[in-house]
Amino acid sequence: MAILPIRIYGDPVLRKKAAPIGEITDEIRKFVDDMAVTMFDAPGIGLAAPQVGKSVRLFIVDPHLGESESDTQEFVAFINPVLREKSDDRVLIEEGCLSLPDIRADVERPRTLTVDFTDLHGERHTAEVGGMLARVIQHENDHLDGILFVDRINPVRRRLLGKQLKQLSRSQKKNRVAA
Ligand code: ZN
């Protein structure tokens, strides 16, 4: 298992619409293991495939949301997820993102929703989620459509973040040239 480099704001892969996953191969399963190691190392509570450079419809979530009592690092993989039945009731929660280091902002999103997804064994599941889990799932699912949480914040706040975002994007480009 390997820690994968996390793509930073300004990297074009973060803006692409990710492709659905067909068969769940050993290669995908190995990639998911690498994603999990990367997420727990960061540390983060969710990670989407485009954030490590692979534009496919897959993300993982730490079901303990960073507060596991044990040392076992469990995660749930959501393959080809579909979000539906989003509640009209919306809630404002502060978000951050591993691809946008040091930036946090309040984002308004539906409080609850239903998610259909395929697991690593190829089985389809449906889950009704709320609370922080619903929040993380919506944030990660956005990554599959090339959407970042800063796209969803209050325009005034976004303007205030403008300089910071430009700096991130610039440092990202510099790193890419160097790499
Ligand atoms: Zn993110």
Side-chain angles (χ1 to χ4, degrees):
M1 284 188 278
I3 293 172
L4 306 167
I6 294 174
R7 304 301 180 95
I8 301 299
Y9 181 85
D11 190 314
V13 74
L14 294 173
R15 290 307 193 178
K16 275 173 72 175
K17 192 170 168 68
I21 290 179
E23 198 192 336
I24 296 155
T25 57
D26 285 347
E27 190 201 334
I28 295 276
R29 274 187 277 264
K30 188 194 169 297
F31 174 64
V32 170
D33 281 342
D34 288 345
M35 279 179 70
V37 173
T38 306
M39 177 178 78
F40 288 112
D41 174 72
I45 54 175
L47 185 70
Q51 291 183 276
V52 285
K54 209 171 166 88
S55 193
V56 293
R57 303 194 78 77
L58 150 70
F59 60 79
I60 59 169
V61 169
D62 169 5
H64 302 291
L65 304 168
E67 293 180 359
S68 174
E69 303 268 304
S70 72
D71 289 335
T72 30
Q73 298 183 320
E74 288 173 87
F75 64 89
V76 181
F78 294 79
I79 298 168
N80 298 332
V82 176
L83 309 194
R84 57 190 175 84
E85 288 173 39
K86 294 179 185 171
S87 63
D88 292 333
D89 182 15
R90 294 167 72 87
V91 56
L92 202 63
I93 298 179
E94 192 185 61
E95 294 187 23
C97 179
L98 295 175
S99 296
L100 288 141
D102 301 327
I103 293 182
R104 299 192 70 84
D106 286 338
V107 186
E108 192 189 284
R109 299 185 192 262
R111 188 187 293 272
T112 62
L113 58 101
T114 299
V115 54
D116 301 322
F117 65 100
T118 300
D119 67 17
L120 284 167
H121 307 289
E123 265 174 62
R124 200 79 180 150
H125 300 271
T126 293
E128 282 173 39
V129 289
M132 265 314 273
L133 191 57
R135 175 53 56 128
V136 179
I137 286 171
Q138 291 177 86
H139 175 114
E140 299 310 330
N141 195 68
D142 267 356
H143 276 299
L144 310 185
D145 292 323
I147 299 166
L148 300 170
F149 83 94
V150 285
D151 303 336
R152 296 199 183 275
I153 63 177
N154 171 308
V156 177
R157 178 85 176 103
R158 189 164 52 233
R159 218 170 308 134
L160 289 172
L161 283 175
K163 202 171 155 197
Q164 231 175 321
L165 290 174
K166 227 175 267 166
Q167 269 166 355
L168 263 188
S169 178
R170 227 180 291 142
S171 66
Q172 184 283 131
K173 281 194 187 101
K174 234 182 275 158
N175 290 342
R176 197 167 38 173
V177 172

